[in-house]
C-alpha cells in the first residue's frame, strides 16, 4: 500500500487542532469509575485539571511530516480575570492571527497591511474569563477519550511519564471520514514530575482507496504559569 503524509486541509482554519480537541466532541460515558481500569487514567485526568487551572501558558501545534507550525496560542489572565491571548493558525498557505488584550480584539491575515479592530459593544466582540473560558484554556486541550481506549502503555522518563493510549478507530471513523477511512488512532501524553502535560502526540492512519495516509501532529506546552508581563500584539 502506498503511503503519503496527510494534511488537514479539508478542515477549517482551526483544523490543525481538530484531532487535539476530539475529547470535546466525544465525551466519555459513565463517569470516572467506568475508566479507573485504564492505566494512568487518574494521572491524565489530573493533568487536564492542572492545564485548565493555569494562569498563563503557551502551546503550539506541529505537523510532524514537515515540521510546520500549524497553530500557536499564548494566553494570560489579567488581574481582573479577563483573558488576554495571541492566536495563530496556518493552513493551505494562509496564516491568520488574532490578538485579544481583554478589552479589544485585533485580527489580521498574513499579507494584510492593517489589523481589523473589534471594540467592546461591537457585534462581533466577545471576551473570555474563568466563567466563560476560551476553548484552548479548557481541559479538553489535553485529550483523552477514555470510552474508546482499547489499550495503553506507560513508560517512565527522566522527567516523568510517557503515556500512550490506543483507540478503537471505529469510534472516530464518521467524524474523520473527510480524511479517509481511519484504520488506527493513538495518542501519547508526556507528563512532567509534577503531573503537568508538556507534550501530546496524536497519530491517525487512514486508507484512501489503497493509499495509506498518515496524520501526525504534536502539541508542545510551555511557559506554564510563566508568561511574564502583558501579552502584547506582535509585529506580524
Amino acid at each position: 500500500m502506498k503511503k503519503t503524509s496527510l494534511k488537514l486541509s479539508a478542515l477549517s482554519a482551526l483544523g490543525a487542532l481538530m484531532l487535539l480537541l476530539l475529547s470535546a466532541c466525544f465525551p466519555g460515558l459513565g463517569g470516572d469509575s467506568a475508566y479507573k481500569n485504564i492505566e494512568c487514567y487518574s494521572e491524565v485526568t489530573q493533568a487536564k485539571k492542572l492545564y485548565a487551572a493555569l494562569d498563563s501558558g503557551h502551546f503550539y501545534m506541529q505537523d510532524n511530516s514537515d515540521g510546520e507550525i500549524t497553530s500557536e496560542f499564548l494566553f494570560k489572565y489579567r488581574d481582573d480575570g479577563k483573558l488576554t491571548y495571541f492566536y495563530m493558525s496556518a493552513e493551505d498557505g494562509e496564516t491568520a492571527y488574532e490578538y485579544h488584550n481583554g478589552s479589544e480584539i485585533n485580527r489580521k491575515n498574513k499579507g494584510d497591511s492593517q489589523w481589523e479592530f473589534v471594540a467592546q459593544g461591537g457585534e462581533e466582540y466577545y471576551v473570555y474569563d474563568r466563567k466563560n473560558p476560551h476553548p484552548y484554556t479548557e481541559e479538553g486541550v489535553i485529550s483523552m477519550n477514555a470510552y474508546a481506549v482499547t489499550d495503553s502503555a506507560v513508560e517512565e522518563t527522566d522527567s516523568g511519564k510517557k503515556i500512550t493510549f490506543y483507540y478503537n478507530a471505529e469510534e472516530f471513523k464518521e467524524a474523520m471520514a473527510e480524511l479517509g477511512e481511519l484504520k488506527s488512532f493513538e495518542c501519547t501524553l508526556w507528563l512532567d514530575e509534577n503531573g503537568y502535560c508538556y507534550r501530546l502526540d496524536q497519530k491517525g492512519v487512514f486508507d484512501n482507496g489503497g493509499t495509506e495516509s498518515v496524520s501526525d501532529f504534536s502539541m508542545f506546552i510551555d511557559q506554564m504559569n510563566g508568561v511574564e508581563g502583558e501579552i502584547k500584539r506582535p509585529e506580524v
Side-chain angles (χ1 to χ4, degrees), residues 89-103:
S89 175
E91 181 182 22
D92 289 344
E94 301 289 334
T95 304
Y97 308 97
E98 182 168 290
Y99 168 73
H100 200 319
N101 62 11
S103 301

Side-chain angles (χ1 to χ4, degrees), residues 26 36 76 99 104 110-111 136 166 174 199 205 232:
F26 300 99
K36 287 184 177 178
K76 184 176 184 178
Y99 168 73
E104 182 182 77
K110 187 175 182 179
Y136 300 158
Y166 301 94
E174 184 176 350
R199 175 176 174 178
V205 177
K232 297 183 179 181

Side-chain angles (χ1 to χ4, degrees), residues 62-96:
Q62 174 179 291
D63 183 341
N64 293 324
S65 69
D66 56 14
E68 178 185 0
I69 304 302
T70 59
S71 299
E72 181 179 12
F73 187 71
L74 173 69
F75 71 94
K76 184 176 184 178
Y77 286 94
R78 301 193 316 193
D79 290 341
D80 64 1
K82 300 292 179 60
L83 182 73
T84 64
Y85 65 86
F86 171 70
Y87 175 69
M88 181 280 292
S89 175
E91 181 182 22
D92 289 344
E94 301 289 334
T95 304

Side-chain angles (χ1 to χ4, degrees), residues 31-32 35-36 38-46 144 146 165:
D32 286 352
Y35 309 116
K36 287 184 177 178
I38 299 175
E39 193 171 11
C40 285
Y41 171 81
S42 60
E43 285 91 335
V44 176
T45 297
Q46 178 63 15
M144 176 179 60
F165 294 126

Side-chain angles (χ1 to χ4, degrees), residues 39-40 43 152-166 187-193 198 201:
E39 193 171 11
C40 285
E43 285 91 335
S152 61
V154 180
E155 178 182 339
E156 298 291 335
T157 67
D158 291 339
S159 58
K161 289 184 178 181
K162 176 184 176 183
I163 305 165
T164 300
F165 294 126
Y166 301 94
C187 175
T188 299
L189 301 97
W190 304 69
L191 307 186
D192 66 18
E193 58 185 5
Y198 63 90
D201 305 326

